[in-house]
Amino acid sequence: MVRRVDVAGSDGLRLSAWEFADPPKQETEGERAPGVLLLHGLMGRAAHWTSTARWLSERHRPVGLDQRGHGRSEKPAGGPFTRDAYVCDVEAAIEQLGLAPVTLVGHAMGALTAWQLAAKRPDLVAGLVICDMRASAPGAASQREWEDWFEAWPLPFATLADVRKWFGEDDPWVERPNPARGEFFAEVMAESPDGWRPVFSRRQMLESRATWVYDAHWEELAQVRCPTLVLRGIDGQLGRAEAQEMVRVLPRGEYAEVADAGHLVHYDRPEGWRAAVEPFLDRLAEERREDDREVTGPPATP
């Protein structure tokens, strides 16, 4: 079962959260399942986490959030699309959904939002997974490349098959055919009178990216106190040396990588992603259960 729950963002903006499953069995028996909030990257949506949510739901409470400007959440013409707005939205969602202390799983921009919130509100965050997001600044050249790339999109697409083919094969950013990438972008398209167009504004995506692309984020990363897994795809955007430096900077950092994976690690290599992430999340959940037992004490003797 997937259930949509609307929450209010930091400025009252309507955000769509998605409960991916019924409560796990242990929650119905009185033990609260640990919450996991899934945060997509730029241009993504909560639905991209569906396969992850399926296995998470066995022992966790997985919730996906369509961040402002994305998916089914509101897309205010005037923004704001600042870092503070994204972080405060997640903070508000965690509190309204009763997820704290939550494990945040973030991809790309969603990972940056996750570690910035973990630095700001350590009381809300029990653990963190950072997927393919750099702490260093990509810089102005990177932003110009994105502007040129957006201009190259052959909009509107006549069919979803054309969407899949262009993003999976014809896009100049594709080094070799990648059907999973085509499927990823097909999920963020909607049919309009003249064809298929993205559900987001490309202008707003560039505005969102401009708020973090020129700055490094090492200082905030060093302030994260919870257990953190830094994960990269071998062919992704986060290099091994930088990822390992991020682990060194983190007080409780760990490192993992997924072979044959690019930037969309969780989407195009779901089995490798699960093998890398599940043990980390299960260990956090067990530590939480042990902490809860220490607080509540042993069961009363009849």
Side-chain angles (χ1 to χ4, degrees):
M1 179 192 77
V2 179
R3 181 171 63 96
R4 172 177 164 180
V5 182
D6 286 342
V7 297
S10 59
D11 48 5
L13 193 75
R14 181 190 55 75
L15 303 172
S16 291
W18 302 86
E19 291 267 10
F20 280 106
D22 291 322
K25 186 173 183 292
Q26 68 263 30
E27 185 163 308
T28 63
E29 295 174 348
E31 184 179 328
R32 180 171 171 246
V36 177
L37 185 61
L38 303 159
L39 300 175
H40 61 74
L42 195 71
M43 302 182 294
R45 65 188 308 169
H48 284 139
W49 294 108
T50 300
S51 65
T52 296
R54 287 197 186 103
W55 56 262
L56 277 176
S57 63
E58 296 170 7
R59 291 186 286 276
H60 302 78
R61 179 192 171 193
V63 179
L65 181 68
D66 282 336
Q67 296 171 78
R68 61 175 56 215
H70 296 76
R72 295 288 186 87
S73 290
E74 287 189 307
K75 305 165 179 63
F81 293 99
T82 62
R83 283 285 81 223
D84 187 61
Y86 278 105
V87 171
C88 290
D89 282 347
V90 175
E91 181 180 4
I94 291 170
E95 292 177 332
Q96 291 171 51
L97 294 168
L99 289 169
V102 69
T103 297
L104 297 175
V105 177
H107 173 245
M109 182 191 73
L112 175 59
T113 301
W115 90 59
Q116 289 180 324
L117 177 60
K120 175 187 176 184
R121 290 289 308 273
D123 57 307
L124 295 182
V125 184
L128 183 61
V129 176
I130 295 171
C131 178
D132 215 59
M133 180 61 189
R134 298 173 60 187
S136 59
S142 171
Q143 188 73 349
R144 289 194 295 270
E145 288 175 359
W146 273 71
E147 292 170 358
D148 294 342
W149 178 57
F150 275 149
E151 287 296 322
W153 290 20
L155 295 175
F157 293 96
T159 68
L160 277 179
D162 293 323
V163 173
R164 295 184 180 98
K165 184 175 187 301
W166 196 81
F167 287 102
E169 300 178 24
D170 301 336
D171 183 347
W173 279 19
V174 175
E175 295 181 358
R176 57 182 181 272
N178 186 344
R181 188 174 187 269
E183 291 294 340
F184 182 95
F185 279 96
E187 287 200 48
V188 292
M189 296 289 162
E191 191 170 17
S192 60
D194 61 347
W196 292 83
R197 294 180 178 273
V199 299
F200 51 79
S201 159
R202 290 176 293 169
R203 175 186 60 81
Q204 291 180 352
M205 297 300 100
L206 287 172
E207 287 181 15
S208 297
R209 195 172 188 272
T211 64
W212 54 263
V213 73
Y214 302 111
D215 301 310
H217 305 281
W218 294 98
E219 184 176 347
E220 292 155 304
L221 188 71
Q223 295 171 15
V224 175
R225 293 291 179 262
C226 62
T228 301
L229 178 67
V230 177
L231 184 148
R232 61 181 288 269
I234 293 293
D235 299 318
Q237 296 176 8
L238 175 61
R240 179 180 285 122
E242 182 169 351
Q244 292 177 341
E245 179 63 12
M246 290 169 67
V247 171
R248 189 193 68 78
V249 165
L250 285 158
R252 302 177 68 185
E254 302 178 29
Y255 174 76
E257 58 186 28
V258 178
D260 300 320
H263 180 58
L264 306 175
V265 184
H266 63 293
Y267 196 85
D268 60 9
R269 290 293 182 269
E271 292 181 359
W273 161 259
R274 178 175 182 175
V277 173
E278 189 173 30
F280 175 77
L281 296 182
D282 285 348
R283 189 170 74 250
L284 290 184
E286 180 56 34
E287 290 173 359
R288 172 176 163 175
R289 282 190 289 269
E290 291 176 358
D291 290 343
D292 288 344
R293 284 193 288 268
E294 288 179 5
V295 171
T296 59
T301 303

